[in-house]
Amino acid sequence: MDLIFPKVSVVITSYNNANYLSEAIQSVLDQTVMPYEIIVLDDNSSDGSFVIVQKFQKSNPEVVRGIRNSSNLGVSANRNKALGLSLGDWISFLDGDDYWEPDKLKNELEVLQNKPQVNYVFSNFSFVDQNGKNKTLWDDQGFLAGLEGNDIFNAVVARSFPKGALYRCELIKKSLLDQIGGFDEKLSLYEDFDLKIRAQRSATVSICPLPGAVYRRHADGLSGVLARKHINALEYVYKKNFSLILELPLPERRDTVEKIRNILFQKRFAEMYEYHRCNRIISLIASLSKLILKHPKRLFIQVFHKTEVCS
């Protein structure tokens, strides 16, 4: 007997991703279990991206809905607009420069078959470089197996996942997204991190250990953003959600706060390195002063460790 799957809306958001967008859309069309709809929102691109969207919409009118914003809304507002347009019971997001493995939806939907209480599913994924080469698995050590059935809020807040990266392209019940209020439109970085934190206070999670998405690392992506912007966004997310962190039992709270401090220290250290590399002496001194004031012990350990490694 064929399994009956719920309606899934796949949201592809894109801004100037013409070099990769065809692969992203085609990877969803090639799913072994087709979604109910594919909403492609182009955020007023200037590189001809929407021509690509129109071609897919013309050849697949029953499933592809292409929309071009008349002005650039930004990633959070663009995704919220897609949420308002979606008709599915479940939502999964895909960035226009990434793509999915063929069984992504099938594997995640099969996880749901005997778990009616679950409203949130995520899978393993892979990294590739700008050219789609050097594919490496996110969790290649079986880390995810130990998370199944556990509350992962603490791990999400502290970003305690393989390779320091969080899961991607999760499958979320639409009612949960409606409950938590979608994406924070004040954020253009870490908006997905903020959503993950808020979702985990109400989510019942299940995990698929098979790879579902493929994340492309390139200079125009998150890794190419200046460290100061990372710091500002992360500090905003942590301050905003600190009341949720305070709800943790005391030992977990202390451990999580310590990990947060270390995350911010690493970003501030990266900022200092950027200023050194660009020979911005005044900015370097200011950044170093902040590190000394906020993280004296960590700075000493970091510098001592680097010296030991280089000697």
Side-chain angles (χ1 to χ4, degrees):
M1 183 178 68
D2 292 337
L3 295 173
I4 299 174
F5 292 123
K7 292 179 180 179
V8 176
S9 296
V10 177
V11 172
I12 301 176
T13 50
S14 175
Y15 176 65
N16 287 346
N17 291 140
N19 291 336
Y20 312 113
L21 187 55
S22 291
E23 187 173 17
I25 299 172
Q26 191 62 53
S27 75
V28 183
L29 288 169
D30 288 342
Q31 290 296 296
T32 51
V33 171
M34 279 292 291
Y36 177 72
E37 62 181 353
I38 304 170
I39 302 173
V40 188
L41 264 78
D42 178 77
D43 202 13
N44 198 241
S45 295
S46 58
D47 65 350
S49 290
F50 195 61
V51 174
I52 296 170
V53 178
Q54 289 175 309
K55 287 179 180 177
F56 277 99
Q57 182 173 248
K58 185 176 181 180
S59 58
N60 303 273
E62 71 287 351
V63 64
V64 177
R65 298 167 59 195
I67 300 159
R68 185 175 191 266
N69 296 329
S70 57
S71 61
N72 184 264
L73 301 181
V75 61
S76 295
N78 201 28
R79 286 177 174 165
N80 284 337
K81 180 177 178 179
L83 284 176
L85 295 169
S86 61
L87 301 174
D89 302 314
W90 290 76
I91 311 288
S92 190
F93 291 92
L94 173 63
D95 291 341
D97 52 355
D98 300 331
Y99 64 94
W100 284 356
E101 302 287 7
D103 288 332
K104 192 266 189 191
L105 284 181
K106 174 178 177 288
N107 291 335
E108 291 176 348
L109 289 169
E110 285 181 346
V111 165
L112 294 174
Q113 287 301 301
N114 298 312
K115 298 178 179 180
Q117 76 282 9
V118 169
N119 57 7
Y120 198 102
V121 183
F122 68 88
S123 300
N124 206 344
F125 70 90
S126 302
F127 300 95
V128 292
D129 63 20
Q130 181 170 332
N131 300 312
K133 306 296 183 184
N134 301 316
K135 196 173 189 180
T136 57
L137 197 60
W138 173 52
D139 175 26
D140 53 7
Q141 301 293 323
F143 173 84
L144 296 179
L147 291 182
E148 182 65 35
N150 294 322
D151 182 353
I152 64 169
F153 174 78
N154 188 17
V156 170
V157 171
R159 304 180 70 86
S160 300
F161 286 85
K163 301 176 176 65
L166 292 174
Y167 49 84
R168 304 181 63 79
C169 302
E170 56 268 37
L171 183 62
I172 314 174
K173 203 163 189 177
K174 177 75 179 304
S175 58
L176 175 59
L177 285 167
D178 291 339
Q179 177 185 336
I180 65 175
F183 293 89
D184 186 335
E185 297 186 10
K186 293 179 181 178
L187 286 165
S188 58
L189 287 174
Y190 295 102
E191 74 290 334
D192 54 339
F193 180 39
D194 171 65
L195 186 87
K196 286 174 169 63
I197 291 173
R198 289 183 286 117
Q200 286 310 316
R201 298 320 292 153
S202 304
T204 302
V205 180
S206 195
I207 301 167
C208 177
L210 300 171
V214 181
Y215 170 50
R216 193 185 308 270
R217 287 172 158 170
H218 56 87
D220 294 330
L222 188 62
S223 58
V225 176
L226 293 175
R228 171 44 47 187
K229 292 185 177 180
H230 281 268
I231 294 166
N232 290 342
L234 279 170
E235 286 183 335
Y236 172 85
V237 170
Y238 282 130
K239 287 177 181 177
K240 172 185 173 181
N241 293 293
F242 198 69
S243 61
L244 299 179
I245 297 168
L246 290 176
E247 294 175 3
L248 292 169
L250 185 58
E252 288 183 39
R253 189 195 318 161
R254 286 174 173 167
D255 179 63
T256 301
V257 169
E258 181 65 16
K259 287 176 179 175
I260 290 171
R261 286 172 177 161
N262 191 57
I263 289 167
L264 293 173
F265 166 76
Q266 293 298 333
K267 294 298 183 185
R268 290 186 179 110
F269 196 85
E271 177 190 45
M272 191 175 70
Y273 178 74
E274 278 182 5
Y275 292 146
H276 169 71
R277 186 182 58 191
C278 300
N279 201 30
R280 294 174 58 182
I281 304 303
I282 294 176
S283 297
L284 172 61
I285 293 170
S287 182
L288 177 59
S289 299
K290 289 179 183 177
L291 276 174
I292 292 171
L293 288 171
K294 294 187 175 184
H295 307 280
K297 183 178 179 181
R298 283 187 175 84
L299 180 61
F300 174 79
I301 292 171
Q302 182 82 5
V303 173
F304 180 77
H305 173 70
K306 293 288 183 183
T307 304
E308 287 288 301
V309 170
C310 296
S311 61

